[in-house]
Amino acid sequence: MTEEKDPFAFLTLTVPKRAPVFPGSVGTFRYRLVRSGKENEGTIEASVYENICFEKAQNIETQTFPWSEDGMAQIRAWLAEKLRERGAQPFTIFGGR
């Protein structure tokens, strides 16, 4: 990303260790990481989808990466590309003030 702060910089090797499924968002841009196997041996499936829960999403794009330092860098780059393509709006609760 250019001059803006990288919203995916925190995604390092330790993030997939926290939970087998790690959902996240940047405003209305939603993503989800699912780990398989062990660090430096397994994979991480990264998905992006519309602003709805994953189980009801219909417009899902998914790619699998190695669970390694290089794989996490690839995930960050892929998510940044998808964020540019799909865009994001600030998150708001309808009817809230």
Side-chain angles (χ1 to χ4, degrees):
M1 311 204 74
T2 54
E3 296 177 16
E4 296 177 20
K5 182 180 178 225
D6 180 0
F8 307 112
F10 76 97
L11 294 175
T12 64
L13 277 176
T14 59
V15 169
K17 292 179 185 178
R18 296 179 189 165
V21 178
F22 184 86
S25 64
V26 176
T28 56
F29 175 81
R30 304 275 182 134
Y31 62 93
R32 174 177 127 140
L33 307 179
V34 179
R35 73 170 191 226
S36 295
K38 296 180 180 181
E39 182 180 335
N40 294 315
E41 297 175 9
T43 60
I44 297 176
E45 181 182 271
S47 300
V48 296
Y49 52 101
E50 66 264 28
N51 189 28
I52 192 169
C53 70
F54 184 80
E55 293 74 18
K56 293 190 178 208
Q58 295 180 13
N59 187 13
I60 301 171
E61 290 182 71
T62 301
Q63 189 161 333
T64 302
F65 301 89
W67 184 4
S68 64
E69 288 284 353
D70 284 344
M72 293 307 294
Q74 292 170 27
I75 289 170
R76 290 189 300 270
W78 185 75
L79 289 173
E81 175 187 332
K82 295 300 167 187
L83 177 57
R84 281 190 298 273
E85 288 174 7
R86 290 174 172 245
Q89 298 296 318
F91 179 77
T92 61
I93 297 174
F94 297 120
R97 298 197 200 302

